[in-house]
Amino acid sequence: MTTTVPAATRWPRPFRYVYAANLTESLGFQVGYLAVPVLAVSVLAATPGQVGLLAALSTAAFLLVGLPAGVWVDRSPRRTVMVAADLARAALYASIPLAWWADALTLGQLYAVVLLTGVGTVFGDVAAQSFLPELVGRDRLVAANSLLMTTNAGIQIGGRGFGGLLVQWLGAPLALALNAVAHLLSALALTRVRPIATVGTGRDRPAGGFGRQLAEGVRHVLGSPLLRPLAVSLAGINLTVNLMTTMLPVVFLRDLGLGAGALGLFLGAGGVGALLGAVTARPLATRIGHGRALWLPGLLVAPAGALVALVDTGAWLWLAGLGWLALAWRTGIGNVIGVSLRQRATPDALLGRMNATFRFLLTGAIAVGAGLAGLLGQYAGPRTPLWVGAIGAALTWLPLYRSPVRTLPDPDRLPPAAG
C-alpha cells in the first residue's frame, strides 16, 4: 500500500483553490505569529503579564463566540463565511502598520486587533474544516488533511525562520502588512470556489432553535466515546504547549539576549516536527493502528518538554530545539488522524457545530494557557510556565489510552455518521 500524499494538482478544482487560499494565509500567519509578540516586547515595551494577555486575547474569541459560530456556519454558505473572515482580518492587520506610521500605535489597539482577528479566525477555521468533506468526499479525508497539514508544517519550518529574519530586517509593524496582503490573496482564491454539494448553503438549515442546535453540537462531541477523549487530550496539549510558547519570546529576547531571528529559527524547529508528524502519520497508523498512533507518540515524547524548559545558550539551545521538534512531531500526527476521525464520525448537518465545539475547547485551552503563562511569568518568573507546561504535556496521552480510541480502526473505514 502506498502512503504517498497526493499532490494538490490531483485533487478536484474547488479543493485546489481552497488549498491555494490555505497556502497564502499560512504564509502570512507565520510572519504575524512572531511579529505581534515581538512588536509588543520591543516597540511597546510590554511586560510579561501584558505579553500573556496579548496571547490570551488572540484566542479568546473561541471562548466568546466559538460555540455560536458553529450554528451560524451550519446555517450559512461556508465559502462565503471563509471569504468574509479573510477580508476582515486583512483590514485589521493593515491597521497596525498604518497606526505605527502615524505614531499612534498603542497596546490597546494591539489588544483589539488580536481579539477581533481571533473572531475572524473562529469563523474561517470552522467553515474551512466543515467545507472539506464536501470538497473531497469522506473517503479521502485522511489524505486531504495529511496534504493540508504537511503543507502547513512545511510553511512553518521556513515561515517562522524567515518571519523572524523579516521582522528583524523590516521591523514588526511592516512585517505585519504582509499578513494583511496574505489574507487578501486568500480571499481572492476562495472566490473562485464553486461548491459541489448543497451542504452548508443555507437551504438545509438544521431544525430547532438556536440554543437547541448549539446544544446538539456539544452533545455530539462530549457524548461520543471517541470524540470526548480526543477533545480532552488535544485541549491538554494546547494548554500545556501554549504555557511554554507564550513565554518563549520573553525568555529569548530578555533572559537570553537573543534576537527575533533566533526565536524564529527555534520555533521553526517545531515546523520540522509538525512536518515529520504529518508525513509519518498515515504510514505509522497503517503499521501500528490508528488508535496507537494517536496516544503512543505522546508517551514517547513525554520527556521532551523538560528540554524546552531548560533552554539556554550554547548546547542547551540545540537540545531545547530538539525537544520542541519532538513535541511538534506528536502534534502533527494527532492533527492528521484526529481531524479525520472528527470529520468521519460526524454527519454533514453537524459538521460546523462539531468543529466549533472542538475549536472552542482546543483554542479555549490555548487562551487559558496564555493567560496562565502571563500570571506565572509575572509573579513567578518567565521560566515557571515552561516547567508547568512541560510537566502537563507529559500526561496528555492518558485520556486517549484509557478510552476506546486506543483500538480505533482507520477513520476512513468507520461507518458514515447518520445524518
Side-chain angles (χ1 to χ4, degrees):
M1 174 185 294
T2 181
T3 57
T4 303
V5 176
T9 54
R10 301 176 190 171
W11 294 86
R13 184 180 298 272
F15 175 75
R16 296 205 298 268
Y17 285 126
V18 170
Y19 179 85
N22 176 78
L23 183 67
T24 55
E25 182 183 328
S26 296
L27 285 168
F29 174 82
Q30 296 306 326
V31 176
Y33 183 86
L34 278 171
V36 169
V38 169
L39 177 66
V41 172
S42 61
V43 176
L44 300 175
T47 66
Q50 290 170 329
V51 172
L53 176 59
L54 186 67
L57 287 173
S58 69
T59 52
F62 284 89
L63 293 175
L64 299 175
V65 299
L67 291 176
V71 180
W72 289 320
V73 167
D74 278 340
R75 290 177 165 189
S76 307
R78 288 162 184 168
R79 188 206 64 167
T80 301
V81 173
M82 294 162 67
V83 171
D86 269 330
L87 292 176
R89 285 178 286 181
L92 287 163
Y93 279 122
S95 73
I96 295 176
L98 290 175
W100 171 78
W101 179 76
D103 199 24
L105 183 64
T106 64
L107 266 175
Q109 179 184 346
L110 205 57
Y111 289 153
V113 167
V114 297
L115 177 62
L116 293 174
T117 54
V119 174
T121 299
V122 170
F123 283 92
D125 286 3
V126 169
Q129 289 188 343
S130 304
F131 201 25
L132 188 62
E134 177 182 346
L135 295 174
V136 303
R138 289 175 178 270
D139 59 336
R140 302 182 76 188
L141 283 173
V142 172
N145 282 312
S146 182
L147 173 60
L148 287 169
M149 292 173 192
T150 299
T151 302
N152 288 344
I155 293 171
Q156 186 179 342
I157 296 171
R160 291 190 181 178
F162 179 70
L165 295 175
L166 198 64
V167 170
Q168 199 162 297
W169 293 337
L170 298 180
L174 292 180
L176 279 170
L178 297 180
N179 205 346
V181 173
H183 282 292
L184 283 174
L185 293 174
S186 175
L188 180 62
L190 289 171
T191 60
R192 305 295 301 276
V193 176
R194 294 294 179 267
I196 55 180
T198 59
V199 175
T201 61
R203 297 190 295 273
D204 57 343
R205 290 189 178 187
F210 192 93
R212 177 182 171 185
Q213 294 168 26
L214 188 151
E216 277 185 317
V218 175
R219 284 197 303 268
H220 174 69
V221 173
L222 299 185
S224 167
L226 293 179
L227 299 185
R228 182 178 61 251
L230 183 65
V232 171
S233 177
L234 293 177
I237 291 172
N238 283 0
L239 188 151
T240 55
V241 170
N242 210 51
L243 276 166
M244 295 183 276
T245 304
T246 301
M247 281 299 111
L248 281 174
V250 177
V251 171
F252 266 72
L253 300 178
R254 290 187 180 166
D255 287 5
L256 302 182
L258 300 172
L263 175 62
L265 291 173
F266 181 88
L267 294 176
V272 175
L275 176 61
L276 291 174
V279 170
T280 59
R282 295 176 70 202
L284 180 66
T286 299
R287 185 173 183 83
I288 69 173
H290 284 68
R292 287 193 183 92
L294 279 170
W295 67 263
L296 185 57
L299 174 61
L300 295 177
V301 305
L307 294 176
V308 178
L310 290 168
V311 64
D312 207 332
T313 55
W316 282 109
L317 181 60
W318 292 96
L319 288 173
L322 182 63
W324 193 248
L325 183 150
L327 291 175
W329 172 74
R330 178 269 315 270
T331 302
I333 292 174
N335 283 344
V336 172
I337 305 301
V339 170
S340 302
L341 168 64
R342 287 157 45 184
Q343 292 166 332
R344 183 67 176 172
T346 302
D348 288 338
L350 273 169
L351 279 169
R353 284 166 285 169
M354 177 277 294
N355 284 314
T357 301
F358 262 90
R359 294 312 297 264
F360 172 81
L361 295 171
L362 272 53
T363 313
I366 291 176
V368 172
L372 183 59
L375 289 174
L376 291 173
Q378 184 74 25
Y379 296 107
R383 291 276 180 170
T384 303
L386 302 187
W387 280 108
V388 174
I391 294 169
L395 305 174
T396 53
W397 58 276
L398 285 171
L400 294 169
Y401 179 78
R402 297 175 59 85
S403 77
V405 173
R406 184 173 58 179
T407 56
L408 178 75
D410 183 339
D412 283 350
R413 291 200 291 267
L414 286 174

